């Protein structure tokens, strides 16, 4: 079953850009007024993993915030929060709020993260939370049953190529947004990042912190940048890692997605180059011309899905999605090479590209790129509850301006795949839902700048040279757009970097605990090699 994807999931046509321009001139929102005095969080001890003994260091709460900030005393919704108490109360500085991105990523269990050094966990309560509409926090749901959702999602193709695939995907997407308008309730009107930031400032006050200490990853960097410009005097220490470009994202969703596709393409190019540089067997796909081999697999899948011995099927959609997913983390990149090599063996059993013999890997490795083989038919209870949430589009369609004609995205796909042959079409079909989304943003709830308000303290911007989902140029732009920020660079193919480099984590610790701003211009290395020596 295909679900409308979260981002692993992207030259726009002039006509499409003209359509976007009409919606991109969002009025600049003024900084939100200081929130009124709020009630403290009512923490209750909890165990993050009930299957294991309670470590006795965690508390949970559901904190009420206004559904609509235009009516702060009206209906409330609950924000689910978890904290890991500071390990050394004598050294406690305050709370470190965490957001893992998405939008729609659940941050609740991020209170348990091991990304930070001991001096950080000694000095801060780590506070994870599910933003409004996400997971445990009044989840935004477009369906009431799993069967209703499957009836829509199963008609979608992740990377549609043929006219039938494109038409079917766009029709199902319209049915999806119709369901959202029918079932999601009033929350769908109030899902913008601006409202998430208003919630965050209330939580900051509710835990007793005078200023915010925050680490945001991926989309969470937009939360950090928006907070810094809505509440510049409340910034103590804000880390943004795996950065979006706020100005571009909030003013031109189409161009932002086109550049995002380019970021995936840059990361893939570097991945194939590094694979070839170390060669086989360190990189199982490293013999011969890795770029030509990869392109041959992709082009074969455009017209001919591959059925594996276990009955599972590799399609262009599953292949593209799994390659994108593997680029997110170094730990997935050696397995990706084995999967690519195994799939090539199925498609081209004879040695290819001038090689007398290529390394052989088990064909089962290719199953990671496939749709699982269907199980035998079995009865299932009717009206299975729908347990996912639809916050990804709930936020994106309120933040990012898009054309209102869904057919534009098919034209974009043809243009983008010329410059981004693997990910252009994939990214173009990430956004059609926003063309017919039933709750476009009201400008009073959409912060679109300015981004250069003077903050009480500088921000720390972290960018990977080959970040697939948020390319390095976005981190450079984030640093330029903010009033006071320092960029630290990591030479790695991965999405986000905190916890992946001891050198980086030392800088992160000094910044969070001591408020020591890193020296600009540093380029660091990760701790791990994606293709370790055998």
């Amino acid at each position: 079953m295909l679900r409308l994807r979260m981002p692993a999931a992207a030259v726009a046509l002039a006509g499409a850009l003209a359509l976007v321009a009409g919606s991109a001139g969002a009025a600049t929102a003024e900084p939100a007024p200081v929130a009124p005095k709020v009630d403290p969080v009512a923490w209750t001890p909890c165990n993050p993993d009930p299957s294991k003994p309670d470590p006795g260091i965690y508390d949970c709460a559901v904190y009420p915030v206004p559904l609509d900030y235009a009516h702060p005393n009206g209906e409330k919704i609950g924000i689910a929060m978890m904290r890991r108490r500071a390990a050394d109360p004598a050294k406690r500085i305050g709370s470190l709020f965490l957001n893992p991105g998405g939008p729609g990523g659940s941050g609740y269990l991020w209170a348990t993260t091991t990304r930070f050094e001991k001096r950080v966990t000694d000095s801060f309560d780590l506070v994870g939370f599910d933003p409004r509409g996400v997971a445990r926090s009044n989840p935004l749901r477009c369906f009431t049953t799993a069967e209703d959702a499957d009836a829509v999602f199963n008609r979608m193709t992740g990377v549609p190529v043929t006219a039938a695939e494109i038409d079917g995907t766009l029709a199902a997407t319209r049915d999806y947004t119709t369901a959202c308008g029918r079932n999601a309730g009033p929350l769908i009107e109030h899902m913008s990042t601006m409202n998430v930031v208003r919630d965050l400032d209330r939580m900051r006050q509710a835990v007793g912190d005078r200023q915010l200490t925050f680490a945001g990853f991926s989309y969470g960097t937009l939360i950090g940048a928006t907070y810094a410009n809505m509440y510049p005097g409340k910034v103590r220490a804000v880390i943004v890692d795996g950065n979006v470009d706020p100005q571009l994202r909030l003013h031109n969703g189409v161009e932002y997605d086109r550049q995002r596709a380019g970021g995936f393409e840059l990361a893939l190019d570097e991945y194939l180059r590094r694979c070839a540089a170390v060669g086989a067997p360190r990189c199982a796909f490293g013999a011969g011309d890795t770029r030509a081999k990869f392109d041959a697999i992709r082009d074969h899948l455009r017209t001919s899905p591959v059925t594996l011995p276990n009955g599972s099927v590799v399609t262009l959609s599953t292949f593209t999605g799994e390659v994108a997913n593997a680029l997110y983390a170094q730990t997935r990149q050696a397995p990706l090479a084995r999967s690519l090599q195994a799939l090539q063996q199925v498609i081209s059993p004879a040695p290819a590209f001038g090689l007398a013999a290529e390394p052989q890997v088990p064909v089962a490795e290719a199953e990671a790129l496939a749709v699982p083989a269907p199980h035998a038919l079995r009865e299932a209870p009717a009206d299975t509850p729908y347990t996912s949430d639809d916050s990804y589009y709930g936020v994106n369609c309120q933040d990012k301006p898009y054309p209102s004609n869904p057919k534009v995205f098919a034209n974009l796909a043809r243009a983008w795949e010329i410059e981004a042959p693997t990910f252009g079409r994939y990214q173009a079909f990430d956004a059609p839902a926003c063309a017919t989304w039933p709750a476009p943003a009201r400008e009073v709830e959409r912060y679109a700048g300015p981004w250069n308000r003077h903050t009480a303290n500088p921000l720390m911007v972290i960018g990977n040279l080959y970040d697939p989902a948020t390319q390095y140029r976005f981190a450079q732009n984030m640093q330029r757009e903010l009033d006071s920020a320092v960029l630290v660079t990591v030479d790695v193919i991965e999405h986000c970097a905190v916890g992946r480099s001891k050198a980086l984590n030392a800088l992160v610790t000094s910044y969070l605990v001591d408020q020591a701003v890193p020296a600009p211009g540093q380029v660091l290395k990760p701790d791990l090699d994606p293709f370790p020596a055998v």
Side-chain angles (χ1 to χ4, degrees):
M1 179 184 71
L2 176 79
R3 291 292 174 93
L4 286 168
R5 61 179 176 265
M6 303 274 294
V11 175
L13 298 179
L17 291 176
L19 284 169
V20 172
S23 60
T28 298
E30 289 300 317
V34 174
K37 184 175 175 164
V38 303
D39 293 330
V41 178
W43 295 109
T44 301
C46 62
N47 183 1
D49 186 353
S51 69
K52 297 179 181 178
D54 188 348
I57 59 174
Y58 293 97
D59 302 296
C60 297
V62 176
Y63 192 74
V65 298
L67 168 68
D68 180 355
Y69 276 90
H71 304 284
N73 297 320
E75 183 178 349
K76 299 293 193 294
I77 56 174
I79 305 300
M81 305 171 64
M82 178 184 285
R83 74 171 176 185
R84 174 181 175 172
R85 297 188 293 276
D88 189 340
K91 295 179 180 177
R92 183 183 180 278
I93 295 171
S95 299
L96 169 58
F97 286 86
L98 304 167
N99 181 274
S106 171
Y108 186 76
L109 290 173
W110 271 57
T112 69
T113 185
T114 58
R115 284 176 179 253
F116 298 98
E117 292 183 341
K118 183 176 182 298
R119 216 159 57 95
V120 173
T121 54
D122 281 349
S123 304
F124 291 95
D125 296 338
L126 300 188
V127 179
F129 65 99
D130 287 347
R132 58 172 53 208
V134 175
R136 302 164 187 82
S137 295
N138 289 85
L140 182 78
R141 288 183 174 145
C142 293
F143 300 99
T144 57
T145 71
E147 290 80 7
D148 288 344
D150 291 347
V152 172
F153 292 139
N154 289 346
R155 292 158 47 212
M156 296 179 182
T157 303
V159 188
V161 176
T162 68
E165 289 173 340
I166 292 169
D167 291 346
T169 297
L170 293 179
T173 299
R174 186 178 289 277
D175 290 346
Y176 169 70
T177 58
T178 298
C180 292
R182 183 172 58 246
N183 297 316
L187 179 59
I188 199 171
E189 302 280 349
H190 307 288
M191 285 290 293
S192 68
T193 298
M194 187 181 202
N195 284 327
V196 174
V197 167
R198 287 164 163 163
D199 298 343
L200 177 58
D201 191 59
R202 290 214 168 201
M203 288 186 283
R204 171 195 62 79
Q205 295 176 77
V207 300
D209 285 4
R210 186 178 63 85
Q211 293 179 309
L212 178 72
T213 305
F214 175 80
F217 302 85
S218 192
Y219 160 76
T221 65
L222 182 62
I223 296 175
T226 303
Y227 188 97
N229 286 280
M230 286 178 62
Y231 305 101
K234 300 300 183 183
V235 171
R236 179 191 173 274
V238 170
I239 288 174
V240 284
D241 178 11
N243 288 264
V244 307
D245 178 343
Q247 180 68 10
L248 181 60
R249 183 184 179 105
L250 270 293
H251 288 86
N252 192 332
V254 166
E255 178 59 18
Y256 179 86
D257 287 354
R258 185 187 75 82
Q259 292 191 26
R260 192 163 184 256
F264 276 105
E265 212 73 38
L266 288 170
L268 175 62
D269 286 345
E270 183 65 11
Y271 169 77
L272 295 172
R273 189 195 68 78
R274 293 186 182 190
C275 176
V278 300
R282 281 182 60 178
C283 176
F285 196 59
D289 187 336
T290 55
R291 178 81 251 184
K293 291 195 299 181
F294 181 92
D295 291 349
I297 294 172
R298 181 198 64 225
D299 293 346
H300 179 93
L301 291 171
R302 281 181 66 88
T303 56
S304 304
V306 175
T307 300
L308 300 176
N310 75 334
S312 60
V313 179
V314 182
T315 68
L316 182 64
S317 296
T318 65
F319 174 81
T320 308
E322 291 303 323
V323 171
N325 184 56
L327 295 174
Y328 268 60
Q330 280 192 297
T331 54
R332 302 173 197 160
Q333 290 166 19
L336 173 62
R338 294 194 295 271
S339 295
L340 291 172
Q341 184 63 24
L343 184 56
Q344 182 191 295
Q345 290 167 199
V346 175
I347 295 172
S348 302
F353 301 100
L355 296 176
E358 289 192 294
Q360 298 294 294
V361 297
V363 170
E365 295 277 7
E367 293 168 13
L369 301 171
V371 175
H375 296 289
L377 289 175
R378 61 181 185 272
E379 291 188 7
D383 298 331
T384 309
Y386 178 63
T387 57
S388 299
D389 72 61
D390 298 278
S391 52
Y392 177 69
Y393 288 101
V395 176
N396 273 343
C397 297
Q398 292 208 319
D399 279 355
K400 297 162 72 174
Y402 284 104
S404 58
N405 181 358
K407 293 182 179 179
V408 164
F409 295 94
N411 296 330
L412 293 174
R414 285 194 294 270
W416 291 2
E417 67 184 350
I418 295 172
E419 61 182 32
T422 301
F423 296 105
R425 181 170 292 270
Y426 170 78
Q427 190 62 53
F429 278 94
D430 186 51
C434 291
T436 56
W437 191 251
R442 295 175 293 174
E443 296 310 320
V444 71
E445 293 193 357
R446 182 175 174 272
Y447 188 86
W451 302 102
N452 61 350
R453 294 190 183 276
H454 182 69
T455 52
N457 293 290
L459 284 73
M460 181 176 179
V461 178
I462 302 170
N464 291 340
L465 286 178
Y466 301 100
D467 189 315
T470 52
Q471 65 167 295
Y472 183 64
R473 181 195 301 174
F474 290 175
Q476 293 174 308
N477 291 346
M478 173 72 88
Q479 188 273 328
R480 292 191 198 103
E481 289 165 19
L482 297 172
D483 170 76
S484 179
V486 171
L487 173 62
V488 176
T489 302
V490 183
D491 181 8
V492 65
I493 306 168
E494 185 150 358
H495 184 40
C496 303
V498 173
R500 305 294 182 253
S501 164
K502 291 177 182 176
L504 175 63
N505 270 30
L507 298 179
V508 165
T509 298
S510 294
Y511 174 74
L512 291 174
V513 177
D514 308 318
Q515 293 186 275
V517 180
Q522 299 185 64
V523 180
L524 309 177
K525 294 289 185 181
D527 296 336
L528 301 179
D529 187 325
F531 307 115
V534 292

